[in-house]
């Protein structure tokens, strides 16, 4: 039994996909990493209460399709739309996967730094290793 199995984790790379450039880079990175690890990807979009989940699912699937074409990955890609706070949802997901990938928006404002960001909070609170792709990450990822 592997360490991940004893912790109740499935060999899977989870990625937060929010429609931003950082989210798209994170998705491409997650696909490439899952190809190396020979495991599936779980692409997660978090929406606020009252949001149209069907529209969010369609947008997420379109992003996944585009990223899959760019990376040419043959790994299984699961999609999931959840309502709630992005940090809480992604930290919850991190308890069941082997890696969490998120993108950084890198705004750098004082207010943003004081309040923290989703990527920063995930890096601090996640129960699995976390890859945070900086804003300066090449678009080829």
């Amino acid at each position: 039994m592997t360490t991940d199995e004893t912790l109740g984790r499935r060999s899977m790379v989870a990625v937060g996909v929010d429609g931003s450039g950082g989210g798209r880079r994170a998705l491409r990175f997650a696909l490439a990493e899952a190809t190396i690890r020979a495991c599936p990807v779980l692409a997660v979009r978090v929406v606020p209460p009252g949001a149209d989940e069907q529209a969010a699912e369609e947008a997420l699937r379109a992003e996944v399709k585009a990223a899959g074409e760019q990376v040419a990955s043959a790994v299984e890609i699961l999609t999931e739309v959840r309502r709630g706070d992005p940090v809480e949802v992604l930290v919850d997901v991190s308890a069941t996967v082997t890696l969490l990938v998120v993108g950084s928006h890198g705004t750098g404002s004082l207010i943003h730094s004081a309040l923290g960001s989703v990527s920063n909070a995930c890096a601090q609170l996640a129960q699995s290793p976390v890859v945070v792709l900086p804003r300066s990450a090449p678009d080829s990822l």
Side-chain angles (χ1 to χ4, degrees):
M1 187 176 285
T2 68
T3 303
D4 287 330
E5 289 170 340
T6 61
L7 295 174
R9 292 190 178 127
R10 181 175 174 200
S11 183
M12 180 181 290
V13 175
V15 57
V17 183
D18 62 0
S20 69
R24 286 187 292 278
R25 282 190 306 278
L27 178 56
R28 290 189 302 269
F29 181 92
L31 289 171
E33 184 65 24
T35 299
I36 293 167
R37 293 172 181 242
C39 70
V41 169
L42 173 62
V44 179
R45 171 154 293 160
V46 182
V47 297
D52 182 348
E53 284 188 49
Q54 184 175 355
E57 180 70 32
E58 290 171 8
L60 177 57
R61 287 182 187 199
E63 283 186 74
V64 164
K65 181 180 179 190
E69 291 169 355
Q70 290 175 338
V71 176
S73 176
V75 300
E76 178 185 13
I77 306 169
L78 308 169
T79 59
E80 187 173 309
V81 174
R82 290 197 190 178
R83 291 184 189 274
D85 174 73
V87 172
E88 290 177 11
V89 170
L90 293 172
V91 167
D92 182 52
V93 167
S94 77
T96 62
V97 299
T98 52
L99 181 68
L100 175 65
V101 180
V102 293
S104 174
H105 293 285
T107 60
S109 73
L110 183 58
I111 292 172
H112 187 75
S113 296
L115 296 175
S117 66
V118 172
S119 58
N120 186 38
C122 286
Q124 292 181 31
L125 301 172
Q127 297 176 48
S128 67
V130 178
V131 172
V132 178
L133 289 171
R135 183 178 211 176
S136 60
D139 283 334
S140 61
L141 287 178

